[in-house]
Structures are given as structure tokens and as C-alpha cells.
Amino acid sequence: ALCPGGTVTLRAPVGVSVRYQWSRDGQPITGASAMTLVVTDPGTYSLLVTNSDGCGTQSPNPVTVSVSDYPDAKVTALGQRDL
């Protein structure tokens, strides 16, 4: 899980003469066609890799990214309060 405002980088295997298309929650991400993808939003990410002949394969192991809530940081005084 990511902390709010955090990032994680997803990386595809190196290929020769291949095209990459990243998707989030089953929908292609516009412009996400590099070997790496920097993720800031929660969702399930997958990758389609296509070779120069137009043959493509979908990643068999999508990655689910979640964002954690900030922990409670409430401070309370204990004991005598008149100092």
C-alpha cells in the first residue's frame, strides 16, 4: 500500500521491438506506453505487450495498488494538567 501522495514504479520486462500499453482497472491509460509506469492512484494495473508482428500478450499477474490512510496522531495529556 502507498502512503497518501506516495508513488510506486511498475516495470515491464525488457523486450526488443515491442510496444507496451498499461491499463488500470481494465481500461488503457492514455499515454502509458513506456516500459515503466509511475503509479500514484489506487487500482489494479496490468500490461499488454505487443511485438512488431502485432502479436500481444496480457500480463498474467496484475498488480493491485492501494493507498493507506494516515495513522491517528492524537496527543493527550496524562496525569496532572496544572503546570
Side-chain angles (χ1 to χ4, degrees), residues 34-73:
M35 191 174 79
T36 59
L37 178 69
V38 177
V39 172
T40 58
D41 296 315
T44 300
Y45 292 83
S46 59
L47 177 66
L48 174 66
V49 180
T50 307
N51 67 15
S52 59
D53 294 325
C55 301
T57 188
Q58 190 75 32
S59 58
N61 52 345
V63 174
T64 300
V65 175
S66 60
V67 176
S68 295
D69 293 328
Y70 284 112
D72 186 14

Side-chain angles (χ1 to χ4, degrees), residues 2 6-10 22 24 29 37-43 45 65:
L2 293 175
T7 64
V8 64
T9 301
L10 304 179
W22 293 94
R24 180 175 142 224
I29 303 169
L37 178 69
V38 177
V39 172
T40 58
D41 296 315
Y45 292 83
V65 175

